[in-house]
Amino acid sequence: GAVVSQHPSWVICKSGTSVKIECRSLDFQATTMFWYRQFPKQSLMLMATSNEGSKATYEQGVEKDKFLINHASLTLSTLTVTSAHPEDSSFYICSARSATGGANEKLFFGSGTQLSVL
Amino acid sequence: DQQVKQNSPSLSVQEGRISILNCDYTNSMFDYFLWYKKYPAEGPTFLISISSIKDKNEDGRFTVFLNKSAKHLSLHIVPSQPGDSAVYFCAASARRGAQKLVFGQGTRLTINP
């Protein structure tokens, strides 16, 4: 199957700093990428949908000024958690949809990033 | 509001037996359902899906059953193998190509030798 690379896999940062997470599709072009967040014992929750070359669409309750998403190319999307606080500590995971596939079976996930804010 | 629920956080099954993972949903607009499997330190990978026009879909050892009236789906794995030990997520969408997937919390399946 297609490969989505997500980095870093874990990060610890101080409160007030910003953290950037990268999501790359390695062997396919991804017109659409999705960012999810998972708190312990809860489900993966969609945060935002990003389409290459346009602004991301954020889900209700997700602060777009805090979670900056950039999808500048067909193979790279980044999520920046700005001024991180302990309550932002969570597991963040991206997924990418192949440009040639419209179904969710063609949705490929990164391995996730565990963010811990001290 | 948890629209997709997996009420069993964990399940332990003996190798060779049947594993049954359950998932309930509340939104009647959902009409396409998927199961994903996740190993530690890896992202979820697609396993099997079912459309609401069917009540069963089979792929090798994996079968998904859908009961629309009960808003319930289940994943059957038979026979269970040690490599099936993973976290399984069910997900739902309003249509097959819909952008938004709503996930359950996941069930950790452990297959015991």
Side-chain angles (χ1 to χ4, degrees):
Chain A
V3 178
V4 173
S5 174
Q6 184 173 343
H7 291 282
S9 55
W10 59 270
V11 59
I12 301 172
C13 69
K14 291 183 179 180
S15 186
T17 60
S18 294
V19 174
K20 180 185 280 189
I21 302 170
E22 290 190 349
C23 181
R24 293 180 185 271
S25 56
L26 297 185
D27 51 0
F28 67 100
Q29 292 185 328
T31 51
T32 305
M33 288 188 173
F34 305 90
W35 288 95
Y36 293 84
R37 177 169 56 184
Q38 184 180 25
F39 292 109
K41 298 185 180 180
Q42 296 186 24
S43 57
L44 288 167
M45 297 294 291
L46 181 65
M47 298 175 66
T49 302
S50 72
N51 292 297
E52 185 264 338
S54 62
K55 289 185 178 180
T57 302
Y58 290 81
E59 295 298 305
Q60 191 174 9
V62 178
E63 300 174 58
K64 60 183 179 182
D65 294 330
K66 181 170 186 62
F67 298 99
L68 301 179
I69 291 172
N70 184 282
H71 191 164
S73 78
L74 283 172
T75 60
L76 174 65
S77 176
T78 61
L79 168 67
T80 301
V81 184
T82 62
S83 186
H85 288 97
E87 57 265 30
D88 298 323
S89 298
S90 185
F91 183 72
Y92 294 85
I93 191 166
C94 68
S95 66
R97 173 172 288 155
S98 168
T100 58
N104 285 312
E105 291 87 340
K106 298 296 184 184
L107 198 61
F108 303 100
F109 285 83
S111 53
T113 299
Q114 183 65 52
L115 171 64
S116 295
V117 184
L118 304 178
Chain B
D1 178 28
Q2 190 74 36
Q3 296 185 67
V4 178
K5 296 182 182 180
Q6 293 175 257
N7 291 317
S8 298
S10 63
L11 177 67
S12 186
V13 174
Q14 193 170 357
E15 181 179 1
R17 297 288 185 98
I18 184 171
S19 296
I20 301 176
L21 296 99
N22 294 303
C23 180
D24 297 293
Y25 62 97
T26 57
N27 191 336
S28 57
M29 296 299 293
F30 291 146
D31 69 356
Y32 201 78
F33 306 89
L34 306 94
W35 284 93
Y36 288 85
K37 177 179 181 180
K38 183 184 183 303
Y39 291 119
E42 296 182 13
T45 55
F46 169 74
L47 187 59
I48 193 169
S49 62
I50 189 167
S51 165
S52 61
I53 62 173
K54 295 184 176 181
D55 55 17
K56 176 183 174 181
N57 188 27
E58 191 172 352
D59 183 3
R61 296 184 298 114
F62 302 91
T63 303
V64 56
F65 295 91
L66 175 63
N67 182 333
K68 280 194 67 179
S69 60
K71 293 190 178 67
H72 176 83
L73 62 154
S74 61
L75 173 68
H76 292 211
I77 307 173
V78 57
S80 301
Q81 299 174 354
D84 297 329
S85 295
V87 177
Y88 290 79
F89 293 95
C90 70
S93 68
R95 55 180 172 83
R96 184 166 181 242
Q99 297 273 47
K100 185 171 180 176
L101 282 179
V102 180
F103 284 86
Q105 307 97 311
T107 297
R108 181 177 300 278
L109 175 65
T110 302
I111 306 301
N112 302 308

mmCIF file with all atom_site columns, all heavy atoms in Angstrom, chain A residues 62-77:
data_model
loop_
_atom_site.group_PDB
_atom_site.id
_atom_site.type_symbol
_atom_site.label_atom_id
_atom_site.label_alt_id
_atom_site.label_comp_id
_atom_site.label_asym_id
_atom_site.label_entity_id
_atom_site.label_seq_id
_atom_site.pdbx_PDB_ins_code
_atom_site.Cartn_x
_atom_site.Cartn_y
_atom_site.Cartn_z
_atom_site.occupancy
_atom_site.B_iso_or_equiv
_atom_site.pdbx_formal_charge
_atom_site.auth_seq_id
_atom_site.auth_comp_id
_atom_site.auth_asym_id
_atom_site.auth_atom_id
_atom_site.pdbx_PDB_model_num
ATOM 1   N N   . VAL A 1 62 ? -12.328 23.624 16.672 1.00 0.00 ? 62 VAL A N   1
ATOM 2   C CA  . VAL A 1 62 ? -10.877 23.606 16.491 1.00 0.00 ? 62 VAL A CA  1
ATOM 3   C C   . VAL A 1 62 ? -10.422 25.007 16.122 1.00 0.00 ? 62 VAL A C   1
ATOM 4   O O   . VAL A 1 62 ? -10.898 25.587 15.148 1.00 0.00 ? 62 VAL A O   1
ATOM 5   C CB  . VAL A 1 62 ? -10.470 22.606 15.392 1.00 0.00 ? 62 VAL A CB  1
ATOM 6   C CG1 . VAL A 1 62 ? -8.951  22.638 15.198 1.00 0.00 ? 62 VAL A CG1 1
ATOM 7   C CG2 . VAL A 1 62 ? -10.937 21.202 15.743 1.00 0.00 ? 62 VAL A CG2 1
ATOM 8   N N   . GLU A 1 63 ? -9.488  25.547 16.902 1.00 0.00 ? 63 GLU A N   1
ATOM 9   C CA  . GLU A 1 63 ? -9.024  26.920 16.682 1.00 0.00 ? 63 GLU A CA  1
ATOM 10  C C   . GLU A 1 63 ? -8.034  26.965 15.527 1.00 0.00 ? 63 GLU A C   1
ATOM 11  O O   . GLU A 1 63 ? -6.917  26.448 15.633 1.00 0.00 ? 63 GLU A O   1
ATOM 12  C CB  . GLU A 1 63 ? -8.352  27.437 17.947 1.00 0.00 ? 63 GLU A CB  1
ATOM 13  C CG  . GLU A 1 63 ? -9.246  27.471 19.179 1.00 0.00 ? 63 GLU A CG  1
ATOM 14  C CD  . GLU A 1 63 ? -8.448  27.867 20.403 1.00 0.00 ? 63 GLU A CD  1
ATOM 15  O OE1 . GLU A 1 63 ? -7.856  28.972 20.389 1.00 0.00 ? 63 GLU A OE1 1
ATOM 16  O OE2 . GLU A 1 63 ? -8.382  27.079 21.364 1.00 0.00 ? 63 GLU A OE2 1
ATOM 17  N N   . LYS A 1 64 ? -8.414  27.637 14.460 1.00 0.00 ? 64 LYS A N   1
ATOM 18  C CA  . LYS A 1 64 ? -7.541  27.667 13.288 1.00 0.00 ? 64 LYS A CA  1
ATOM 19  C C   . LYS A 1 64 ? -6.297  28.516 13.519 1.00 0.00 ? 64 LYS A C   1
ATOM 20  O O   . LYS A 1 64 ? -5.281  28.311 12.849 1.00 0.00 ? 64 LYS A O   1
ATOM 21  C CB  . LYS A 1 64 ? -8.302  28.168 12.061 1.00 0.00 ? 64 LYS A CB  1
ATOM 22  C CG  . LYS A 1 64 ? -8.877  29.553 12.191 1.00 0.00 ? 64 LYS A CG  1
ATOM 23  C CD  . LYS A 1 64 ? -9.660  29.898 10.924 1.00 0.00 ? 64 LYS A CD  1
ATOM 24  C CE  . LYS A 1 64 ? -10.282 31.267 11.025 1.00 0.00 ? 64 LYS A CE  1
ATOM 25  N NZ  . LYS A 1 64 ? -11.089 31.589 9.807  1.00 0.00 ? 64 LYS A NZ  1
ATOM 26  N N   . ASP A 1 65 ? -6.360  29.467 14.437 1.00 0.00 ? 65 ASP A N   1
ATOM 27  C CA  . ASP A 1 65 ? -5.176  30.277 14.713 1.00 0.00 ? 65 ASP A CA  1
ATOM 28  C C   . ASP A 1 65 ? -4.187  29.550 15.609 1.00 0.00 ? 65 ASP A C   1
ATOM 29  O O   . ASP A 1 65 ? -3.026  29.940 15.705 1.00 0.00 ? 65 ASP A O   1
ATOM 30  C CB  . ASP A 1 65 ? -5.579  31.595 15.370 1.00 0.00 ? 65 ASP A CB  1
ATOM 31  C CG  . ASP A 1 65 ? -6.380  32.480 14.416 1.00 0.00 ? 65 ASP A CG  1
ATOM 32  O OD1 . ASP A 1 65 ? -6.155  32.379 13.194 1.00 0.00 ? 65 ASP A OD1 1
ATOM 33  O OD2 . ASP A 1 65 ? -7.230  33.246 14.891 1.00 0.00 ? 65 ASP A OD2 1
ATOM 34  N N   . LYS A 1 66 ? -4.660  28.531 16.270 1.00 0.00 ? 66 LYS A N   1
ATOM 35  C CA  . LYS A 1 66 ? -3.781  27.765 17.148 1.00 0.00 ? 66 LYS A CA  1
ATOM 36  C C   . LYS A 1 66 ? -3.170  26.582 16.402 1.00 0.00 ? 66 LYS A C   1
ATOM 37  O O   . LYS A 1 66 ? -2.028  26.234 16.616 1.00 0.00 ? 66 LYS A O   1
ATOM 38  C CB  . LYS A 1 66 ? -4.562  27.252 18.347 1.00 0.00 ? 66 LYS A CB  1
ATOM 39  C CG  . LYS A 1 66 ? -3.706  26.456 19.313 1.00 0.00 ? 66 LYS A CG  1
ATOM 40  C CD  . LYS A 1 66 ? -4.432  26.182 20.594 1.00 0.00 ? 66 LYS A CD  1
ATOM 41  C CE  . LYS A 1 66 ? -3.493  25.514 21.577 1.00 0.00 ? 66 LYS A CE  1
ATOM 42  N NZ  . LYS A 1 66 ? -2.360  26.350 21.920 1.00 0.00 ? 66 LYS A NZ  1
ATOM 43  N N   . PHE A 1 67 ? -3.952  25.979 15.541 1.00 0.00 ? 67 PHE A N   1
ATOM 44  C CA  . PHE A 1 67 ? -3.496  24.816 14.785 1.00 0.00 ? 67 PHE A CA  1
ATOM 45  C C   . PHE A 1 67 ? -3.378  25.233 13.321 1.00 0.00 ? 67 PHE A C   1
ATOM 46  O O   . PHE A 1 67 ? -4.342  25.170 12.556 1.00 0.00 ? 67 PHE A O   1
ATOM 47  C CB  . PHE A 1 67 ? -4.470  23.652 14.945 1.00 0.00 ? 67 PHE A CB  1
ATOM 48  C CG  . PHE A 1 67 ? -4.605  23.179 16.366 1.00 0.00 ? 67 PHE A CG  1
ATOM 49  C CD1 . PHE A 1 67 ? -5.684  23.592 17.151 1.00 0.00 ? 67 PHE A CD1 1
ATOM 50  C CD2 . PHE A 1 67 ? -3.658  22.344 16.930 1.00 0.00 ? 67 PHE A CD2 1
ATOM 51  C CE1 . PHE A 1 67 ? -5.814  23.168 18.463 1.00 0.00 ? 67 PHE A CE1 1
ATOM 52  C CE2 . PHE A 1 67 ? -3.774  21.909 18.241 1.00 0.00 ? 67 PHE A CE2 1
ATOM 53  C CZ  . PHE A 1 67 ? -4.850  22.325 19.013 1.00 0.00 ? 67 PHE A CZ  1
ATOM 54  N N   . LEU A 1 68 ? -2.163  25.652 12.963 1.00 0.00 ? 68 LEU A N   1
ATOM 55  C CA  . LEU A 1 68 ? -1.924  26.166 11.617 1.00 0.00 ? 68 LEU A CA  1
ATOM 56  C C   . LEU A 1 68 ? -1.598  25.009 10.679 1.00 0.00 ? 68 LEU A C   1
ATOM 57  O O   . LEU A 1 68 ? -0.700  24.217 10.945 1.00 0.00 ? 68 LEU A O   1
ATOM 58  C CB  . LEU A 1 68 ? -0.767  27.172 11.627 1.00 0.00 ? 68 LEU A CB  1
ATOM 59  C CG  . LEU A 1 68 ? -0.959  28.398 12.525 1.00 0.00 ? 68 LEU A CG  1
ATOM 60  C CD1 . LEU A 1 68 ? 0.269   29.291 12.454 1.00 0.00 ? 68 LEU A CD1 1
ATOM 61  C CD2 . LEU A 1 68 ? -2.203  29.168 12.137 1.00 0.00 ? 68 LEU A CD2 1
ATOM 62  N N   . ILE A 1 69 ? -2.327  24.942 9.593  1.00 0.00 ? 69 ILE A N   1
ATOM 63  C CA  . ILE A 1 69 ? -2.119  23.866 8.625  1.00 0.00 ? 69 ILE A CA  1
ATOM 64  C C   . ILE A 1 69 ? -1.699  24.459 7.295  1.00 0.00 ? 69 ILE A C   1
ATOM 65  O O   . ILE A 1 69 ? -2.316  25.397 6.799  1.00 0.00 ? 69 ILE A O   1
ATOM 66  C CB  . ILE A 1 69 ? -3.405  23.030 8.468  1.00 0.00 ? 69 ILE A CB  1
ATOM 67  C CG1 . ILE A 1 69 ? -3.667  22.247 9.756  1.00 0.00 ? 69 ILE A CG1 1
ATOM 68  C CG2 . ILE A 1 69 ? -3.281  22.077 7.274  1.00 0.00 ? 69 ILE A CG2 1
ATOM 69  C CD1 . ILE A 1 69 ? -4.997  21.541 9.783  1.00 0.00 ? 69 ILE A CD1 1
ATOM 70  N N   . ASN A 1 70 ? -0.638  23.883 6.745  1.00 0.00 ? 70 ASN A N   1
ATOM 71  C CA  . ASN A 1 70 ? -0.134  24.299 5.448  1.00 0.00 ? 70 ASN A CA  1
ATOM 72  C C   . ASN A 1 70 ? -0.030  23.085 4.543  1.00 0.00 ? 70 ASN A C   1
ATOM 73  O O   . ASN A 1 70 ? 0.510   22.056 4.936  1.00 0.00 ? 70 ASN A O   1
ATOM 74  C CB  . ASN A 1 70 ? 1.250   24.965 5.610  1.00 0.00 ? 70 ASN A CB  1
ATOM 75  C CG  . ASN A 1 70 ? 1.762   25.496 4.296  1.00 0.00 ? 70 ASN A CG  1
ATOM 76  O OD1 . ASN A 1 70 ? 2.253   24.757 3.462  1.00 0.00 ? 70 ASN A OD1 1
ATOM 77  N ND2 . ASN A 1 70 ? 1.645   26.794 4.107  1.00 0.00 ? 70 ASN A ND2 1
ATOM 78  N N   . HIS A 1 71 ? -0.577  23.184 3.345  1.00 0.00 ? 71 HIS A N   1
ATOM 79  C CA  . HIS A 1 71 ? -0.531  22.066 2.395  1.00 0.00 ? 71 HIS A CA  1
ATOM 80  C C   . HIS A 1 71 ? -0.031  22.639 1.076  1.00 0.00 ? 71 HIS A C   1
ATOM 81  O O   . HIS A 1 71 ? -0.786  22.803 0.127  1.00 0.00 ? 71 HIS A O   1
ATOM 82  C CB  . HIS A 1 71 ? -1.935  21.484 2.263  1.00 0.00 ? 71 HIS A CB  1
ATOM 83  C CG  . HIS A 1 71 ? -1.988  20.181 1.527  1.00 0.00 ? 71 HIS A CG  1
ATOM 84  N ND1 . HIS A 1 71 ? -3.089  19.368 1.583  1.00 0.00 ? 71 HIS A ND1 1
ATOM 85  C CD2 . HIS A 1 71 ? -1.105  19.549 0.728  1.00 0.00 ? 71 HIS A CD2 1
ATOM 86  C CE1 . HIS A 1 71 ? -2.882  18.297 0.843  1.00 0.00 ? 71 HIS A CE1 1
ATOM 87  N NE2 . HIS A 1 71 ? -1.688  18.388 0.315  1.00 0.00 ? 71 HIS A NE2 1
ATOM 88  N N   . ALA A 1 72 ? 1.264   22.950 1.073  1.00 0.00 ? 72 ALA A N   1
ATOM 89  C CA  . ALA A 1 72 ? 1.839   23.711 -0.040 1.00 0.00 ? 72 ALA A CA  1
ATOM 90  C C   . ALA A 1 72 ? 2.135   22.860 -1.266 1.00 0.00 ? 72 ALA A C   1
ATOM 91  O O   . ALA A 1 72 ? 2.308   23.396 -2.364 1.00 0.00 ? 72 ALA A O   1
ATOM 92  C CB  . ALA A 1 72 ? 3.114   24.409 0.423  1.00 0.00 ? 72 ALA A CB  1
ATOM 93  N N   . SER A 1 73 ? 2.210   21.552 -1.099 1.00 0.00 ? 73 SER A N   1
ATOM 94  C CA  . SER A 1 73 ? 2.505   20.701 -2.246 1.00 0.00 ? 73 SER A CA  1
ATOM 95  C C   . SER A 1 73 ? 1.639   19.453 -2.181 1.00 0.00 ? 73 SER A C   1
ATOM 96  O O   . SER A 1 73 ? 0.977   19.202 -1.176 1.00 0.00 ? 73 SER A O   1
ATOM 97  C CB  . SER A 1 73 ? 3.986   20.318 -2.268 1.00 0.00 ? 73 SER A CB  1
ATOM 98  O OG  . SER A 1 73 ? 4.252   19.287 -1.331 1.00 0.00 ? 73 SER A OG  1
ATOM 99  N N   . LEU A 1 74 ? 1.672   18.675 -3.247 1.00 0.00 ? 74 LEU A N   1
ATOM 100 C CA  . LEU A 1 74 ? 0.846   17.463 -3.305 1.00 0.00 ? 74 LEU A CA  1
ATOM 101 C C   . LEU A 1 74 ? 1.404   16.331 -2.452 1.00 0.00 ? 74 LEU A C   1
ATOM 102 O O   . LEU A 1 74 ? 0.794   15.267 -2.379 1.00 0.00 ? 74 LEU A O   1
ATOM 103 C CB  . LEU A 1 74 ? 0.707   17.000 -4.757 1.00 0.00 ? 74 LEU A CB  1
ATOM 104 C CG  . LEU A 1 74 ? -0.269  17.800 -5.610 1.00 0.00 ? 74 LEU A CG  1
ATOM 105 C CD1 . LEU A 1 74 ? -0.168  17.377 -7.064 1.00 0.00 ? 74 LEU A CD1 1
ATOM 106 C CD2 . LEU A 1 74 ? -1.696  17.627 -5.112 1.00 0.00 ? 74 LEU A CD2 1
ATOM 107 N N   . THR A 1 75 ? 2.545   16.555 -1.829 1.00 0.00 ? 75 THR A N   1
ATOM 108 C CA  . THR A 1 75 ? 3.124   15.493 -1.012 1.00 0.00 ? 75 THR A CA  1
ATOM 109 C C   . THR A 1 75 ? 3.418   15.907 0.418  1.00 0.00 ? 75 THR A C   1
ATOM 110 O O   . THR A 1 75 ? 3.924   15.107 1.205  1.00 0.00 ? 75 THR A O   1
ATOM 111 C CB  . THR A 1 75 ? 4.434   14.973 -1.645 1.00 0.00 ? 75 THR A CB  1
ATOM 112 O OG1 . THR A 1 75 ? 5.362   16.066 -1.744 1.00 0.00 ? 75 THR A OG1 1
ATOM 113 C CG2 . THR A 1 75 ? 4.189   14.379 -3.028 1.00 0.00 ? 75 THR A CG2 1
ATOM 114 N N   . LEU A 1 76 ? 3.103   17.140 0.781  1.00 0.00 ? 76 LEU A N   1
ATOM 115 C CA  . LEU A 1 76 ? 3.469   17.592 2.124  1.00 0.00 ? 76 LEU A CA  1
ATOM 116 C C   . LEU A 1 76 ? 2.392   18.476 2.742  1.00 0.00 ? 76 LEU A C   1
ATOM 117 O O   . LEU A 1 76 ? 1.934   19.437 2.133  1.00 0.00 ? 76 LEU A O   1
ATOM 118 C CB  . LEU A 1 76 ? 4.789   18.370 2.088  1.00 0.00 ? 76 LEU A CB  1
ATOM 119 C CG  . LEU A 1 76 ? 5.234   19.038 3.402  1.00 0.00 ? 76 LEU A CG  1
ATOM 120 C CD1 . LEU A 1 76 ? 5.530   17.987 4.459  1.00 0.00 ? 76 LEU A CD1 1
ATOM 121 C CD2 . LEU A 1 76 ? 6.461   19.913 3.157  1.00 0.00 ? 76 LEU A CD2 1
ATOM 122 N N   . SER A 1 77 ? 2.005   18.127 3.964  1.00 0.00 ? 77 SER A N   1
ATOM 123 C CA  . SER A 1 77 ? 1.158   18.990 4.770  1.00 0.00 ? 77 SER A CA  1
ATOM 124 C C   . SER A 1 77 ? 1.804   19.113 6.139  1.00 0.00 ? 77 SER A C   1
ATOM 125 O O   . SER A 1 77 ? 2.390   18.147 6.642  1.00 0.00 ? 77 SER A O   1
ATOM 126 C CB  . SER A 1 77 ? -0.249  18.407 4.911  1.00 0.00 ? 77 SER A CB  1
ATOM 127 O OG  . SER A 1 77 ? -1.059  19.204 5.763  1.00 0.00 ? 77 SER A OG  1
#
